[in-house]
Amino acid sequence: MPEKILYSGNRRKVVLTGPGKTGGEGSIYKVKEEPFLCAKIYHRDKLNPEIKNKIEAMIKNPPGENLAGRSGSLRSSSVSWPVESLYDSCKDDAEFLGFTMPLVDTSLFREAHRYYDPDDRIKYLGGSFSWLYLLTAAFNISYVTAALHEKGHKIGDMSASNILIARTAAISIIDCDSFQIQDKNTKKTYYTKVATGDFLPPELMGRNFRDENIDRYYSDLFGLGVIVFRLLMNGFHPYQARGKKVSGLPTIEQKILAGNYPYGRENADLLPPKNSLPYEIIPQGIRDLFRCCFIEGHGNLHRRPKASEWAEKLKTELSGVKQCKNNPNHWYSGHLQECPWCKMIKDGRLKKDLFPPPDKNKKTFAYRSVPFGNRFKPAKIFTPVLRASPEKVELRPLKSGLIKFSIVLENTGDGILSGSVSSDRKWITVKDSVISTAKKTVKEIITDSSMVFLGSPGIKYAGNIIVSTNGGNTKIPVTVAAGKNPCAEVSLEKIIMKKIKRGDMLTKNLVIKNKGDGILSGSTESNRRWLTVSPKVFRTGSAATVKIEIDTKNADNSLFIAGKIDVFTNGGNFKIPVALTLVP
């Protein structure tokens, strides 16, 4: 490919190869020697001071939580956000041409509609992209939207084409230069000039976005509700309906304007589509948010749930999902008593399984779209692999109360490890239940021993931390029992050394072990200036090492010298005599 040399804002040379994909605003190039980056170069007729200032405002005010990615993490960025501006030279009067941004790996990410459309989803991924993954993707989209809103930005053109999803449920939002952007320094707003009809709220239908400056915050909230609904309800739009109330409304946009949401209502003139999923598969908390978004929020935009509310509620539901015993690809909401997918197949409501079981004799492949070209070739799907540590946790507290510890969840395979962490006991809680990582994540666990009876040390109470991911599942057993008080044991009872040359420096290590539970704390001291100990204060749950130094040149002129080391602890005290015979 031909090379194009441009310069970043700090006058660093950037070599581009391409172009590849070309659109109405510009062309996409690869960045040579930086495989996690690409560049968007605008067409000449699209360049103006407004777009330059907007991109520079974005670079100065990226979304939080490292969602835009940096350095080696760019491959897994959740937002394809501008990284650096690009200019035609390194001179002071250089012309702005475009920007670099994270390269989205299209062998992993596809447009969102390919996942909520059941035919596309089964074609490319079989049943492996389960309802758990759809729920996780909905959470990820909500979480990223909330992070953008917190910085003052809006997605604006919220649609299933701008939001990409990986087979691991990770997400990436593209076309970020079309977002509504807030310049944090000047407070200037750069508005979105595009929209997608079936994701627009009723108050924005028919508006002229090209000529009007329209804030898109409440539009984002409506569009977010639409995409969450479609992910969880097999691709159906929330306003798709049948009956007299919608008989003269053929388009989705007309149905949105009418506001006839057909779910959760008893009305013979307004019913969901015949082949839609039963609304009861959605947990009540999510149904409440749908009601606020599509019924109460239809005429009162202030009633629409915030992105953070969607994220919090979806996160809660993720921690309680259940897995079917008959089909490992059947995941469903924790409020249900039986697998709804099996039930719908048995009742004849589903003509085919939406999440078919894995075929052990068939290798799974996905069509990989090669960046910057129109060729397609098969490529093996990236597979995450879960490794959890520790394998078990044994707690022996000395008194009732809260105990915190951590578990490490590592992805030893490829792609993004996603899923959830939960427990099967009320006295074990997980601080952050959602898993989404390319490498590893640390989860804080809290146990409340006051909820169990801590009697004699021989009585144990047991539970499990349950880890469910797309890279495998595991249980980490947790036991809690009343602990013993700290009990000290020393490795040296005495130190006796003979035929030592005067002037020699001698060292010994004293190991102080805790044979009980809890924290062993204490101090050490010596009674001679030629005898020193370090450290003088210690705290340990297992063992502490104290260095003993004997400096014979500071000893008395006698051929026999003696001293002692005192060890004081909350688990017992010790006196360690020290005696040396010196060579005359």
Side-chain angles (χ1 to χ4, degrees), residues 79-253:
V79 186
S80 191
W81 199 262
V83 175
E84 288 183 300
S85 295
L86 293 177
Y87 297 84
D88 66 346
S89 73
C90 57
K91 299 177 182 178
D92 291 339
D93 61 349
E95 182 184 4
F96 171 81
L97 296 180
F99 60 92
T100 60
M101 60 184 172
L103 172 65
V104 178
D105 187 346
T106 51
S107 68
L108 288 174
F109 289 87
R110 294 180 176 278
E111 294 178 349
H113 63 82
R114 295 208 178 253
Y115 291 86
Y116 61 61
D117 181 286
D119 292 331
D120 273 355
R121 185 177 65 239
I122 294 172
K123 177 181 177 181
Y124 291 111
L125 297 172
S128 61
F129 201 88
S130 64
W131 197 78
L132 169 64
Y133 288 8
L134 292 165
L135 191 67
T136 304
F139 164 78
N140 288 337
I141 295 167
S142 304
Y143 183 86
V144 172
T145 304
L148 286 164
H149 286 179
E150 189 174 346
K151 289 285 188 172
H153 307 313
K154 317 297 185 298
I155 294 174
D157 186 20
M158 178 82 75
S159 75
S161 298
N162 292 343
I163 298 173
L164 308 184
I165 302 176
R167 68 178 300 276
T168 58
I171 69 112
S172 188
I173 305 179
I174 60 173
D175 291 341
C176 297
D177 55 332
S178 72
F179 284 10
Q180 177 179 314
I181 299 300
Q182 177 75 42
D183 188 320
K184 68 176 181 180
N185 295 325
T186 66
K187 306 304 179 184
K188 176 180 172 62
T189 299
Y190 298 90
Y191 292 93
T192 299
K193 299 300 180 181
V194 289
T196 301
D198 53 349
F199 286 86
L200 271 180
E203 71 273 10
L204 296 189
M205 291 289 182
R207 298 289 294 273
N208 185 340
F209 297 101
R210 289 291 177 189
D211 298 333
E212 295 183 66
N213 291 331
I214 302 171
D215 185 83
R216 302 295 281 273
Y217 175 68
Y218 293 103
S219 170
D220 270 9
L221 301 186
F222 184 88
L224 177 60
V226 171
I227 201 159
V228 170
F229 188 95
R230 301 191 81 164
L231 283 167
L232 302 186
M233 288 292 285
N234 205 32
F236 282 98
H237 193 282
Y239 287 101
Q240 274 182 269
R242 57 192 171 95
K244 291 182 180 179
K245 281 200 169 187
V246 293
S247 61
L249 305 173
T251 69
I252 289 294
E253 287 84 350

Side-chain angles (χ1 to χ4, degrees), residues 21 24 58 69 80 84 121 160 200 253 279 322 452 472 532:
K21 181 181 177 183
M58 294 177 74
S80 191
E84 288 183 300
R121 185 177 65 239
L200 271 180
E253 287 84 350
Y279 200 40
K322 297 177 181 178
V452 297
T532 60

Side-chain angles (χ1 to χ4, degrees), residues 66 101 137-138 216 228 269-270 293 295 358 399 458 485 523 530 537 545 549 552 555-556 564 568 572 577:
N66 198 32
M101 60 184 172
R216 302 295 281 273
V228 170
D269 294 333
L270 183 67
C293 188
I295 298 178
K399 59 182 180 179
N485 290 324
S523 62
W530 50 266
V537 178
T545 299
E549 292 187 342
T552 58
D556 298 336
K564 69 170 182 173
F568 305 102

Side-chain angles (χ1 to χ4, degrees), residues 435-450:
I435 304 167
S436 182
T437 181
K439 293 183 179 179
K440 69 178 180 180
T441 184
V442 178
K443 297 295 182 184
E444 184 178 316
I445 311 297
I446 302 172
T447 61
D448 187 354
S449 59
S450 64

